[in-house]
Amino acid sequence: MRFIFKTNYEQDIRLAKHGGQVFWYSALLLALLAAPWAIPEYWLAQLTFILVYGIVGLGLMLLSGFTGQFSLGHAAFLGVGAYTQAALTGAGVPFLLAITAAAGVAAAVGVIVGLPALRLKGIYLGIATLAFGFIVEEVFARWESVTGGNAGKHLKDPNLFGLTLESGEAFYYLCLVLAVLATLGVLNLLRSPTGRAFVAIRDSEISAQSMGIQLARFKTLSFAISAALAGVGGALYAHKLKFISPDQFGVLQSIDLILMVVIGGLGSVHGAFLGAIFLITMPQVIALAKDHLPETIALAPGLQGVVYGVVLISFVLFEPLGLYGRWLKLRTWFQLFPFYRRGMFKRQKAFQKSERLR
């Protein structure tokens, strides 16, 4: 019995469930390492943005997908990290110390936001975080001595251990390392009692509280960790663009982040990166499609917003689990082929009803 217990425990703490996952994730990592030699500079820059948004998406996924807290002002944490990084590196602070401080300041702001929001949930929490986003954006615009106001603020190339990361390849590898570390950190967090407490709060706050989970503590902690990851992403975002201004961290950016995790797949770590891929590649697809559309439609203002809205509504209605949910169904179809049953992947009405009443 002792041997069986030990085997089950080892399986429980294992990051990869089977050898197939080890193989495919290793192949993906090797492909990402080889990307600078295989793709043009422009697409490498887009891949870098995917990694940056993936880090931010991990934080928002932890908050919304795993803890069930709705945030419409998450771009504010992105901006706090970006401006903290800009201020500290401009003062000569080393890159690693500056990005750590950016994460810490963003986490502290997350705690400040999380405490008043403890009594709010659903759309009311969304409105509160939206108001916070407007406040932070206004602070960025008015605090000119630190942020540069509406004129913006320039950043230098990051300096790591005395080496200036001037090339896009070097900065890409920096983002890749931080994205891998953030992913491993979130995966380990979700397997810990803290991560399970987050999921319990998402499923039912009453049930979680009855099991002894302190809602105030874990909700605030979720906000802090989510904001810290957004702060790291904001610091990398600022260095990548080398220029930041308040309008980059407004409500539209927050909506893009929400769109990213919803389309990627709420409640999945993979969904953060799948949503980031969608967010970065979709404007390119729209730009290519304009060449084949009538001129009145192609030149119409707000075309991208309309496309995003249609895609979001389509996912909410027909694939609420997002891109990752669609991949799980496709994988199951291949596993069961040719013994699958027709209609087995259709969303049941009973599930829709229970989801509305939850």
Side-chain angles (χ1 to χ4, degrees):
M1 293 295 293
R2 183 179 299 175
F3 177 77
I4 296 176
F5 172 78
K6 183 178 179 181
T7 301
N8 291 337
Y9 178 75
E10 288 176 351
Q11 290 177 352
D12 185 57
I13 65 173
R14 194 175 300 165
L15 272 175
K17 296 180 180 179
H18 49 78
Q21 287 190 346
V22 176
F23 173 79
W24 287 111
Y25 288 135
S26 300
L28 175 62
L29 182 58
L30 289 175
L32 290 174
L33 289 173
W37 289 278
I39 59 178
E41 183 178 355
Y42 172 78
W43 290 109
L44 182 65
Q46 301 305 306
L47 186 56
T48 303
F49 277 116
I50 289 174
L51 293 175
V52 171
Y53 274 101
I55 295 174
V56 181
L58 285 173
L60 186 55
M61 188 69 73
L62 188 67
L63 180 67
S64 300
F66 290 101
T67 315
Q69 304 301 298
F70 190 51
S71 175
L72 272 178
H74 215 70
F77 302 124
L78 188 74
V80 169
Y83 276 107
T84 302
Q85 184 75 11
L88 293 179
T89 53
V93 177
F95 173 81
L96 289 180
L97 186 59
I99 197 171
T100 302
V105 173
V109 175
V111 172
I112 295 174
V113 176
L115 288 175
L118 291 176
R119 295 182 178 273
L120 302 174
K121 57 183 178 181
I123 189 62
Y124 302 104
L125 178 59
I127 293 173
T129 54
L130 179 64
F132 164 74
F134 283 126
I135 294 172
V136 171
E137 185 180 2
E138 191 67 19
V139 170
F140 290 158
R142 301 296 180 184
W143 199 3
E144 296 183 2
S145 60
V146 175
T147 65
N150 290 318
K153 196 172 185 69
H154 292 272
L155 285 88
K156 299 179 181 179
D157 292 316
N159 188 290
L160 190 62
F161 303 117
L163 299 174
T164 303
L165 306 182
E166 298 178 352
S167 65
E169 292 82 1
F171 188 76
Y172 164 78
Y173 282 123
L174 173 64
C175 294
L176 178 60
V177 170
L178 292 178
V180 170
L181 292 177
T183 303
L184 292 176
V186 170
L187 287 173
N188 279 283
L189 177 65
L190 292 174
R191 296 183 304 129
S192 69
T194 300
R196 294 172 182 176
F198 289 161
V199 175
I201 293 173
R202 178 197 67 187
D203 292 341
S204 174
E205 292 188 6
I206 297 176
S207 299
Q209 199 169 18
S210 67
M211 291 187 293
I213 295 175
Q214 300 178 13
L215 298 184
R217 173 188 173 188
F218 286 101
K219 281 185 176 182
T220 306
L221 181 61
S222 179
F223 262 102
I225 297 175
S226 177
L229 287 172
V232 172
L236 296 174
Y237 179 83
H239 276 297
K240 181 60 181 174
L241 292 179
K242 298 183 181 179
F243 175 80
I244 51 177
S245 61
D247 60 313
Q248 294 173 327
F249 309 105
V251 63
L252 293 180
Q253 181 74 279
S254 295
I255 293 175
D256 282 345
L257 296 178
I258 286 290
L259 187 74
M260 178 176 67
V261 296
V262 171
I263 291 180
L266 281 174
S268 67
V269 173
H270 299 79
F273 290 96
L274 291 175
I277 293 173
F278 168 85
L279 192 65
I280 298 301
T281 58
M282 197 62 184
Q284 319 295 331
V285 174
I286 294 175
L288 292 175
K290 285 183 177 180
D291 297 333
H292 306 283
L293 293 175
E295 186 176 352
T296 54
I297 298 178
L299 299 179
L303 177 62
Q304 181 172 322
V306 172
V307 173
Y308 277 19
V310 171
V311 172
L312 179 61
I313 293 173
S314 300
F315 269 94
V316 170
L317 291 178
F318 303 110
E319 191 49 82
L321 297 180
L323 292 172
Y324 184 63
R326 177 51 56 182
W327 156 245
L328 290 179
K329 293 176 181 179
L330 183 63
R331 185 185 66 182
T332 304
W333 185 88
F334 279 110
Q335 289 174 343
L336 297 178
F337 184 84
F339 302 107
Y340 65 94
R341 292 186 294 109
R342 185 177 181 182
M344 65 181 299
F345 297 125
K346 288 184 177 179
R347 196 179 183 204
Q348 302 297 321
K349 293 182 179 180
F351 176 75
Q352 290 181 331
K353 182 178 180 182
S354 64
E355 190 180 56
R356 288 196 301 268
L357 296 177
R358 187 171 65 182

